[in-house]
Every structure is written in structure tokens, then in C-alpha cells.
Amino acid sequence: MRILNRIFPKVFVKKTEQKTDVMSRLSPFDDILVVDFTHVLAGPACSYYLGLLGARIIKIESDQKGDGIRYRGGTDKQAATEGMSTAYLTQGAGKQALALDLTTARGREIMERLLSKADVFVENHLPETMKRLNLDEQTVTALHPHLIYCSLTGYGRGDAQGNVPAYDVNIQAASGLMDMTGTAETGPTRTGAPILDYSTALSAAFAVSSALFQRGRTGQGSFIDVSMLETALTLMSSTVTDYLKTGNEPKRRGNLANSRSPGAGNFPCQRGIISLGVNEEQHFRNLAKALGREDWLRDPRYADRQQRQAHIDQFVSELEAELIKYDVAEVEVVLQQHGVPAARVRTMKECLDSEQIAQRNYIHSDPVTGLKTPGLPFRIDGEAFIPSSPAPRHGEDTDDIIKWLYGEN
């Protein structure tokens, strides 16, 4: 904490007094200051994840309106009108908010002072925008060689699409992910959630963590170029490899599993649908025993994966006839107890209400506002990481941050 004690005097940490319990636990990035010049989802989520791990996050917004996502996203229209939409709140906690006009000399001076103290600078604007503000990586890293500069863009740097704006839905379309999703009848279908925004955020946070580790060895900062398009392809890695090796373009398979294994996919039951991942021979044996169909183990048509594949229509027909006899909640328990990868299709509400989610402490309830938000999908030494403070309103911490920067405390 020695660096934080130097960087953050008491007046500046007024919002963090409530985080004593959090800070007493493991926080890998306690000594790290992140300047967050991001907007919408992917960029703010990246800095949010770093903040959950203990970094101090100062969010820079225009002094007029601020991050546009404050006013859109989610179904709470009143909150959005007030600049606190659920889309903003999802990755806004644990940050301090500084409102600046970066087109003025004063705003630029404040930003420069801040960057001189920062460890990480995260931004997700178009490169031409950063160039216009004199905040491009060449300018910033020349002045602050210690700084880790992380840039998130739709298509990455260095080509004709470097300045093309993009949102999650555009990259789902451009990457082939949308074309792979759905069925022959539905045509291309967007995934139900903005998975590329959040996966890009995780990619960026992973890259920043790696760069911080490297700086610990070399003492030098670095420039990180994060591409949403390449993140999408990374999420499809095995499919990409298969196409590059065979030339076989992926086709829409609906709910059939990516493994193409007989017995892997979604199957109707009473009062619901069960998803099976019967990919290994042991899985097949477990499935047969769980359903009381040991005769499948003796049937030459189903003797091994190759034979089941040759007789896939007959096998799937028999499997469907068995599963439809069962209540989906009951058969899920039976299958899992027998070692079959199986899960019933749930709504998000059912998932969030489950004992599994409650036991993992994944959803954080803010002690001040009561707002519940997701955390990180991992634990370190059994510890879950939660925000240090509620999401700030536009410019909420501007005066305190400026006083700290100019030693007026």
C-alpha cells in the first residue's frame, strides 16, 4: 500500500473508507492507478475488472454529458434519464469520476498531470479521435514511457479499418459468428447478450495484467492493441482451425453441439429441454446406465463412436424416445449423478436464483445502494472480488481529484 498512501491522501479516498473489509483481503493491483478514458461497454468493463482486483480507477468523461451509455441500455428508463442506466451501472462501480473538457488548455493540463501519476491508460475511441486530442499512443508514451497504454478498437490497428467504428453487433456480423448462429430456417442470428463487448474487456484486462508483469521486469511501459474482431475469432478458435485445415465452411447447426457427437445437443423432456454433452465413451456408458438402457452397450450399432455416427438417426431417435419420458428437472439430477455432462435449459432468472450462484458469491450487492451486479468469473485463494464503491454520477469526484493533483489538500 505504500504507493497508494503516497498517491491518494485521505481527502481523495473519501469513497474508499467503506472498503476496509475489501482491502484487507487479497487485491493484486492495490498499487496500480488506471486512467479510464473509455465509453459504452467493452472499455469500461476492462477498467472495472482491473478495479475489482484492487486498482484505483479514475474515469474521464466530457464535462458536458459524459459517457453516452449512462443514458441508454437496460429497461430502467428512469435510471437512464438520470444518467445511471443499468448498462452503465454494470461496469461503473469502484471508480472515481472526473469531468474534463480536453479541448481546453486547462483540461489538457489536468490530463497530463494525471497520466504522469498513472500506471495504465485505457481507451476505446477511434485512433483519429485520440490523434486529434493529442492522446494517441505515440504522443502519450513519448511523454510517459512508464505508462501501459491499452487501446480497444473494433478491428485493431494498422489497416484500412483502423478508424471504422464498431459495436458488438457489428463484430458479430463481421467475424462470421452471427452467420454460424441460428438454423438454416432462421438465418444469421445475433447472440442474446453482447458477448464480444465483455470478452474483449476480459482480453484487454488480461493484456494489461501481462504488461504490468512485464514492466515489473523491465521498468518500461508498453502499447496494447486489442481487436474486437480478433477476440471474436479467438472465441471460435477450434472452428477457425478446422476451416483453415479442411476448407469446410461452418454451417448453422442450431442447438447441435460443436463436437458433432451423437448424443450431444438439446433434447426435449417433460416440462423442458435437457442439454447433453455425450462426447466420450465413458459419457455414453454413463448415459446408458442412467437411463436404464444398458442394451445400448451391447448393440453393435452403438458399440463405439464411429458406429453411433454411422447410425446417428436411429440412436438419436431412441435417445429422444427415452428422454421424453422424464421430467427435465428430475432427469438432470439423475444424469449428473451418473457422470453425464447434462444441464437443463434455464432462463437467466432461474440461473441467478440458483444455489450455485449464491454459494459462489458471484453477484455483489452494494451495501450503500443495494444494487446487485456481476463480479469476476474466478477466485484467487478462494476470494471473490467486489467493487470498492458504487458507480459515480457524472463528474462526482472532479473537485477532489483536481485538489489532489495540485496539492491543495
Side-chain angles (χ1 to χ4, degrees):
M1 294 293 292
R2 64 187 185 282
I3 297 179
L4 283 186
N5 290 336
R6 173 172 56 80
I7 292 180
F8 293 92
K10 282 290 185 183
V11 67
F12 186 61
V13 293
K14 63 182 181 67
K15 289 170 68 175
T16 65
E17 291 173 358
Q18 62 188 275
K19 67 182 282 186
T20 303
D21 181 57
V22 178
M23 294 298 290
S24 65
R25 304 183 304 171
L26 173 67
S27 295
F29 292 152
D30 272 357
D31 293 344
I32 301 302
L33 172 60
V34 177
V35 174
D36 172 3
F37 186 45
T38 67
H39 60 143
V40 193
L41 292 184
C46 168
S47 61
Y48 173 68
Y49 299 144
L50 297 172
L52 289 180
L53 292 169
R56 302 286 175 163
I57 314 296
I58 298 179
K59 180 176 176 63
I60 310 295
E61 298 177 88
S62 72
D63 64 344
Q64 298 300 310
K65 190 175 181 180
D67 188 343
I69 202 66
R70 287 179 173 274
Y71 306 94
R72 67 178 189 269
T75 59
D76 189 334
K77 294 183 178 179
Q78 182 58 40
T81 299
E82 297 169 358
M84 299 294 278
S85 74
T86 55
Y88 164 72
L89 292 172
T90 302
Q91 53 273 322
K95 302 180 181 183
Q96 278 108 7
L98 172 61
L100 290 180
D101 182 353
L102 291 173
T103 66
T104 66
R106 174 65 170 169
R108 177 66 195 213
E109 179 190 350
I110 292 171
M111 177 63 109
E112 284 300 331
R113 280 185 175 246
L114 196 54
L115 291 175
S116 70
K117 295 178 179 291
D119 297 283
V120 179
F121 179 51
V122 183
E123 63 87 11
N124 65 335
H125 297 271
L126 294 178
E128 61 187 14
T129 300
M130 299 303 288
K131 186 78 171 176
R132 186 171 65 250
L133 294 171
N134 288 321
L135 287 172
D136 56 283
E137 65 272 18
Q138 291 88 356
T139 301
V140 170
T141 56
L143 292 170
H144 310 289
H146 72 288
L147 195 65
I148 292 164
Y149 186 123
C150 180
S151 173
L152 295 77
T153 58
Y155 301 93
R157 302 299 187 91
D159 64 14
Q161 290 187 292
N163 280 297
V164 174
Y167 288 97
D168 178 283
V169 66
N170 307 127
I171 301 301
Q172 288 196 35
S175 65
L177 177 61
M178 188 182 291
D179 186 61
M180 289 169 53
T181 307
T183 66
E185 291 71 31
T186 65
T189 303
R190 183 187 69 84
T191 61
I195 61 169
L196 289 183
D197 277 326
Y198 290 111
S199 56
T200 300
L202 286 169
S203 297
F206 176 35
V208 169
S209 302
S210 302
L212 285 169
F213 181 78
Q214 176 177 274
R215 194 184 68 174
R217 292 178 165 181
T218 67
Q220 292 294 311
S222 52
F223 172 64
I224 297 170
D225 171 8
V226 184
S227 162
M228 290 184 72
L229 181 65
E230 289 164 21
T231 299
L233 292 170
T234 300
L235 293 179
M236 300 184 286
S237 288
S238 62
T239 304
V240 169
T241 300
D242 184 78
Y243 166 70
L244 293 175
K245 183 178 187 297
T246 68
N248 297 324
E249 294 191 57
K251 293 180 171 47
R252 289 186 217 79
R253 297 173 52 79
N255 291 319
L256 294 178
N258 192 57
S259 66
R260 296 171 173 78
S261 300
N266 287 4
F267 301 90
C269 300
Q270 294 180 30
R271 287 179 286 279
I273 296 172
I274 193 79
S275 175
L276 301 182
V278 180
N279 292 316
E280 309 294 339
E281 290 306 300
Q282 186 61 51
H283 297 157
F284 174 67
R285 290 191 289 271
N286 294 343
L287 175 71
K289 292 174 183 177
L291 297 179
R293 292 299 306 266
E294 285 89 343
D295 59 296
W296 286 346
L297 304 178
R298 300 183 295 272
D299 191 321
R301 296 175 302 168
Y302 312 143
D304 54 37
R305 177 189 172 95
Q306 187 174 358
Q307 287 301 315
R308 289 193 299 280
Q309 191 69 55
H311 299 88
I312 189 169
D313 290 340
Q314 297 97 311
F315 176 67
V316 169
S317 179
E318 290 194 43
L319 179 58
E320 288 176 339
E322 285 298 325
L323 289 170
I324 199 64
K325 300 175 183 176
Y326 294 89
D327 178 90
V328 68
E330 294 174 356
V331 79
E332 177 188 44
V333 173
V334 171
L335 291 168
Q336 290 181 352
Q337 288 177 342
H338 279 79
V340 179
R344 67 182 177 90
V345 176
R346 289 169 166 79
T347 64
M348 186 176 69
K349 179 183 185 303
E350 288 177 302
C351 177
L352 292 175
D353 290 343
S354 70
E355 194 173 310
Q356 171 71 24
I357 295 299
Q359 289 176 344
R360 289 276 293 175
N361 194 27
Y362 171 69
I363 299 296
H364 166 65
S365 180
D366 188 273
V368 177
T369 65
L371 179 73
K372 295 180 179 180
T373 52
L376 285 165
F378 59 81
R379 309 290 177 269
I380 298 179
D381 291 335
E383 294 287 357
F385 298 91
I386 62 177
S388 59
S389 59
R393 293 192 173 274
H394 178 232
E396 181 177 325
D397 303 285
T398 299
D399 291 342
D400 285 336
I401 295 172
I402 291 176
K403 287 178 181 178
W404 158 69
L405 279 172
Y406 288 89
E408 298 174 7
N409 300 307

